[in-house]
Every structure is written in structure tokens, then in C-alpha cells.
């Protein structure tokens, strides 16, 4: 039974910071690429950041580069998204997702991921 559970969302003023966590269970965590996606009302789900199973390779969307950092702690089966210098346009539900090495497709696309958490709301006020 695979479960991903996000936490750490909330309300923050523009320029502030939040750290999201995603706790995984029921999988061999270190073998999964982990990703963060977000979805604002009326918009498509979009890629935010991804990290390889051993943490050696990361990628992030241009819109968050220099502000967001993805990391993981395989001993705790947890992936993080440190969000700094938050902007109102960062407001969205943030989802973590897990992708096996056998799943075809780029980490950039939501359809490439096998498992998803229920999401956590991030609201950035101006």
C-alpha cells in the first residue's frame, strides 16, 4: 500500500518561506524519482521540481529556479521542497509524486508518475 502525504502548506506573505514535506510509505523509496507539482484553480497541473532516487540529480521549473530547492532524506522516506521568496503566483495546491525507474516518460510530465499524494495548499498573499 503506497502512500504519499504532503505537509507544510499554509498561508504566507509574499517574500516569505515555507518548507513542504512529503512522507512516503509502502515503497522502496530510494528507487523512486520524486517530483513536486502544483495546480492553481483553473490551471493545469505543472511541474515544479524533481529529484532522482539517490538525490544526485535535480531539476526545477524556470519559474521557481533560484527560489525553490528540492531535497530528499531516504532514511526518512521523505522529500522536501524548500520555498523561498514566495510570490502570489506560487499559490496552488502542491502535490508530491513518485516515479519508478521503469516508468516511461520524462519526470517533467505528470503522466510519468505512478503515485500521488493528496496535496497541500500553499497560499501567498501580496
Amino acid at each position: 500500500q503506497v502512500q504519499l502525504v504532503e505537509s507544510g502548506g499554509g498561508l504566507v506573505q509574499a517574500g516569505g518561506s515555507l518548507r513542504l514535506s512529503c512522507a512516503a510509505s509502502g515503497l522502496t523509496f530510494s528507487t523512486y524519482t520524486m517530483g513536486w507539482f502544483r495546480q492553481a484553480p483553473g490551471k493545469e497541473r505543472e511541474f515544479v521540481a524533481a529529484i532522482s532516487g539517490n538525490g544526485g540529480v535535480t531539476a526545477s521549473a524556470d519559474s521557481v529556479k533560484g527560489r525553490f530547492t528540492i531535497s530528499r532524506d531516504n532514511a526518512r522516506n521523505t522529500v522536501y521542497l524548500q520555498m523561498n521568496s514566495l510570490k502570489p503566483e506560487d499559490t496552488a495546491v502542491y502535490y508530491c509524486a513518485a516515479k519508478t525507474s521503469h516508468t516511461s516518460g520524462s519526470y517533467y510530465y505528470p503522466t510519468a508518475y505512478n503515485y500521488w499524494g493528496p496535496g497541500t495548499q500553499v497560499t501567498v498573499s501580496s
Side-chain angles (χ1 to χ4, degrees):
Q1 183 177 342
V2 174
Q3 292 189 85
L4 305 176
V5 182
E6 303 94 340
S7 62
L11 175 64
V12 64
Q13 290 189 333
S17 298
L18 286 172
R19 189 177 79 156
L20 305 184
S21 299
C22 175
S25 61
L27 48 71
T28 305
F29 184 69
S30 62
T31 68
Y32 284 76
T33 293
M34 299 297 297
W36 286 97
F37 293 79
R38 66 188 183 186
Q39 188 165 21
K43 298 185 67 177
E44 295 293 315
R45 184 168 44 185
E46 67 173 333
F47 171 75
V48 176
I51 186 167
S52 62
N54 65 1
V57 181
T58 62
S60 60
D62 289 343
S63 59
V64 306
K65 283 182 177 174
R67 301 188 299 120
F68 291 11
T69 303
I70 189 170
S71 63
R72 66 193 295 160
D73 185 344
N74 285 350
R76 290 181 161 81
N77 284 9
T78 302
V79 63
Y80 305 95
L81 186 68
Q82 178 67 46
M83 305 186 295
N84 298 326
S85 301
L86 283 160
K87 304 174 180 179
E89 52 262 46
D90 296 319
T91 295
V93 176
Y94 283 71
Y95 300 91
C96 69
K99 176 186 182 298
T100 73
S101 61
H102 305 100
T103 304
S104 62
S106 172
Y107 59 82
Y108 179 85
Y109 298 101
T111 53
Y113 288 79
N114 302 91
Y115 304 107
W116 292 84
T120 186
Q121 177 70 45
V122 172
T123 303
V124 184
S125 62
S126 61

